[in-house]
Amino acid sequence: MAVKVDHIGITVRDTDKAVEFYEKGLNFRKTDEFLFTAYKDGFFGECPEARTLYAVEEGSTCRLAMMAPESGDTVLELFCFSRQNSPREREWLTPGYTHFAVFSESFTKTCENLKAAGATFLMQPGVQPTGNYWVFLTDPDGNMIEVVGHD
């Protein structure tokens, strides 16, 4: 049984800013965009469990932008809710998601693009035991990204 990662969903504060960041920083392109109203049009689900799963207030809206890399592989879903909670600090020692990673065949150029797009670098780029370069950074909403690659 072969499986692959289909998409990664992250919540952002501002759809337009996030789209611009991923377009400029990682050369992703927006492939689609949707606007949903909670529990009215199917996106948040029509079953009672959906209200517990999403924990979104009745009538809240969600703007969803789909971003695809040049390779066409794993899609990034950017969720922006009309009502948002305060961001939480992420900790490696706490179980849960910490980051997603991208591979670049132009590591230095990708890092330059990300810096120009507003990324916050959490470390200086280094070299992994495999010989690939790597670095951790965050997008404007604090979502952590690892860039791995070579030039």
Side-chain angles (χ1 to χ4, degrees):
M1 176 174 72
V3 297
K4 69 174 191 163
V5 176
D6 181 72
H7 66 273
I8 298 167
I10 61 174
T11 299
V12 299
R13 287 181 280 232
D14 180 310
T15 304
D16 294 327
K17 266 184 160 176
V19 165
E20 181 179 2
F21 174 82
Y22 286 99
E23 285 177 341
K24 287 183 177 179
L26 292 174
N27 207 26
F28 281 32
R29 65 184 179 3
K30 184 169 71 170
T31 59
D32 224 334
E33 186 171 319
F34 307 95
L35 182 63
F36 299 99
T37 302
Y39 318 116
K40 294 197 186 232
D41 52 22
F43 176 76
F44 290 100
E46 303 301 328
C47 63
E49 295 83 4
R51 293 176 189 271
T52 303
L53 173 67
Y54 292 108
V56 178
E57 289 180 8
E58 184 83 34
S60 294
T61 59
C62 177
R63 187 173 166 202
L64 173 62
M66 308 295 279
M67 304 293 295
E70 286 181 55
S71 66
D73 292 337
T74 305
V75 172
L76 188 61
E77 291 180 331
L78 304 176
F79 293 88
C80 184
F81 294 92
S82 59
R83 182 189 154 279
Q84 299 180 1
N85 295 331
S86 298
R88 293 187 309 249
E89 195 167 317
R90 291 166 182 83
E91 297 178 354
W92 283 96
L93 298 175
T94 302
Y97 298 103
T98 55
H99 68 284
F100 69 91
V102 296
F103 184 88
S104 174
E105 293 181 2
S106 303
F107 181 84
T108 302
K109 179 65 175 158
T110 298
C111 288
E112 290 169 359
N113 291 349
L114 285 160
K115 186 173 184 175
T120 300
F121 284 75
L122 303 176
M123 61 186 279
Q124 294 296 316
V127 179
Q128 296 176 320
T130 61
N132 283 325
Y133 294 108
W134 70 299
V135 68
F136 279 96
L137 54 98
T138 61
D139 72 7
D141 291 298
N143 296 301
M144 198 173 345
I145 304 165
E146 179 181 5
V147 180
V148 179
H150 51 78
D151 283 326

